[in-house]
Amino acid sequence: MAELTKQDREEINWDGIKRLLERQIPEAKGELKVRRFSAGYSNITYSIEVGDWKGVLRRPPFGEIPPRAHDMEREFKILEKIHPVFLLAPKPYVYSENPSLMDKHFYVMERKEGVVIDDQLPAHYDDIEGIRKIVSEAVVDSLVKLHSINIYDHQLADLGKPDGFLERQVKGWIKRYNRAKTHDYAGVEEVEAWLLQQLPDSPVPTLVHNDFKLNNMMFSKENPGEVTGVFDWELSTIGDPLTDVGAALAYWTEPGDPETGLTAVTKEEGFLSRKQMLELYAERSGRDVSQINFYLVFSFYKIASILQQIYARWSSGELQDDRFANLDQGISNLMKKAEETRRHPIYT
């Protein structure tokens, strides 16, 4: 975690937020302590303590944001429904869009305990035999568990519109990418045409996280085989579970992968490969994954499109953050991975 930035201190009414929490949460009494979690490319999260009570506040980035993006109200309402049936999702406590507290809407949720794994394993994991395989299997098991939830028994079906879900996803991301395009990368048009022509029939719909990846998870400090939290539910919906599988595999970097602007420790030897992760998911879920190459191509393309939206905002001067200066190289390499996977499937 990091100290608050000048913008955090000056543009957020922390005293007002403390009063809000004290009114809404009986346990929140005492001194306020706030720190910012390490910033990613998207929403901003803060660790909040009021006396002995601990929580997490999530808000959109500062400045202008794309329409319908960073919808904290939707994420709060999703968590209200999902937390009771999937306890790895944090419990939501308070939602607010009061402009006297900050410039954008936000919510406060349960703080999970554990470690988030990003570009390196925690030092205290090094002594655990087979740690990389243990973490790999825990990721797959969590995704299988999520996709096994009966959306009808738990009144979750109204969270999305599964009919036409995959087609909307593909067409929507092609449109977003081209709207934000700043460079012409070789092979992109061919990938787009292939995606539109090769749309498979989706399996039975499930709850879909829509951004399932290693650093959106939390693991027990003592037992890395135990996942203690899954975060970032903003995009969650009801749809095609193989989109989650494709995204998880695309984010799951392997030795030899080019620089993509994404950080992942899974390049290290000992982690399961993408193909092994897929085979484990198929075995434990019982789901047919024979069409997974389409979903993996789409996921590389979609991640490149997400980075392209950020890079376009940086290029125009709308975002002032040097972390984004070299995203064009990552976008190029992700598009190359999409084309490479289209031509040379990982699963046949």
Side-chain angles (χ1 to χ4, degrees):
M1 285 189 287
E3 297 298 329
L4 297 183
T5 66
K6 180 180 179 182
Q7 198 168 32
D8 295 329
R9 293 193 303 269
E10 294 181 352
E11 298 191 25
I12 297 178
N13 178 0
W14 292 110
D15 289 337
I17 290 173
K18 178 177 183 289
R19 290 192 293 272
L20 173 67
L21 295 176
E22 288 175 335
R23 288 196 304 271
Q24 299 290 328
I25 303 172
E27 302 89 344
K29 304 293 181 186
E31 180 186 358
L32 174 70
K33 297 179 182 178
V34 183
R35 297 192 73 188
R36 184 196 263 243
F37 285 99
S38 298
Y41 290 156
S42 187
N43 297 310
I44 306 173
T45 56
Y46 304 88
S47 165
I48 297 185
E49 298 180 17
V50 184
D52 293 331
W53 178 86
K54 297 179 181 179
V56 172
L57 185 149
R58 276 174 62 77
R59 58 152 290 156
F62 291 98
E64 294 295 321
I65 58 176
R68 299 176 63 188
H70 310 285
D71 191 341
M72 297 293 96
E73 182 178 20
R74 183 176 188 274
E75 185 169 345
F76 180 82
K77 290 179 176 178
I78 285 172
L79 286 174
E80 286 184 312
K81 288 195 168 189
I82 293 176
H83 170 75
V85 297
F86 188 69
L87 294 178
L88 297 181
K91 181 179 180 179
Y93 291 125
V94 178
Y95 170 79
S96 175
E97 49 190 50
N98 185 341
S100 71
L101 298 178
M102 65 176 75
D103 61 319
K104 294 190 175 71
H105 61 320
F106 67 93
Y107 76 92
V108 177
M109 66 182 181
E110 170 190 12
R111 179 171 173 178
K112 297 287 191 179
E113 296 299 328
V115 296
V116 174
I117 301 172
D118 202 342
D119 58 350
Q120 59 185 7
L121 286 173
H124 67 277
Y125 277 1
D126 286 342
D127 296 331
I128 300 175
E129 185 176 355
I131 176 62
R132 291 160 180 79
K133 184 171 184 287
I134 291 170
V135 169
S136 302
E137 292 184 349
V139 171
V140 173
D141 286 342
S142 298
L143 189 56
V144 170
K145 183 178 179 182
L146 175 67
H147 290 166
S148 71
I149 295 171
N150 189 307
I151 60 175
Y152 303 105
D153 287 352
H154 298 292
Q155 292 76 51
L156 299 174
D158 64 348
L159 288 178
K161 298 177 181 178
D163 290 344
F165 170 79
L166 185 58
E167 183 177 3
R168 289 195 306 274
Q169 283 281 301
V170 171
K171 289 183 176 179
W173 280 106
I174 290 175
K175 185 180 293 185
R176 292 183 192 99
Y177 172 75
N178 282 281
R179 197 160 51 215
K181 188 167 72 170
T182 54
H183 294 65
D184 288 321
Y185 299 113
V188 173
E189 290 183 0
E190 289 82 355
V191 168
E192 291 173 342
W194 184 87
L195 288 170
L196 292 170
Q197 293 164 4
Q198 300 295 322
L199 277 166
D201 293 330
S202 290
V204 174
T206 68
L207 183 61
V208 173
H209 182 278
N210 239 347
D211 197 23
F212 196 93
K213 56 183 178 176
L214 183 64
N215 63 1
N216 273 343
M217 304 175 69
M218 181 171 277
F219 297 79
S220 165
K221 292 179 181 178
E222 294 76 25
N223 174 19
E226 177 190 351
V227 175
T228 59
V230 175
F231 308 115
D232 285 11
W233 292 88
E234 172 194 357
L235 303 175
S236 182
T237 188
I238 303 299
D240 187 330
L242 295 181
T243 57
D244 265 351
V245 179
L249 295 178
Y251 280 113
W252 193 265
T253 56
E254 292 183 325
D257 276 357
E259 171 59 38
T260 60
L262 307 172
T263 56
V265 69
T266 57
K267 281 187 177 181
E268 294 183 1
E269 295 292 342
F271 284 98
L272 296 186
S273 67
R274 289 189 181 106
K275 187 172 183 180
Q276 289 171 322
M277 294 284 281
L278 175 66
E279 290 169 344
L280 187 62
Y281 175 87
E283 174 192 329
R284 296 188 178 178
S285 70
R287 192 164 277 115
D288 178 9
V289 298
S290 59
Q291 299 297 313
I292 196 63
N293 292 301
F294 174 90
Y295 295 89
L296 186 53
V297 171
F298 173 56
S299 294
F300 284 129
Y301 179 91
K302 177 180 174 180
I303 297 168
S305 301
I306 293 169
L307 298 186
Q308 180 61 52
Q309 289 180 316
I310 298 169
Y311 184 73
R313 294 174 65 202
W314 177 85
S315 296
S316 69
E318 183 182 335
L319 288 179
Q320 305 288 329
D321 192 324
D322 290 341
R323 291 179 303 154
F324 306 142
N326 298 316
L327 277 186
D328 57 329
Q329 186 59 54
I331 295 162
S332 174
N333 286 333
L334 283 163
M335 289 301 189
K336 288 177 184 176
K337 287 294 292 183
E339 173 64 6
E340 175 188 317
T341 304
R342 182 177 77 86
R343 294 179 178 275
H344 305 288
I346 70 161
Y347 186 82
T348 55

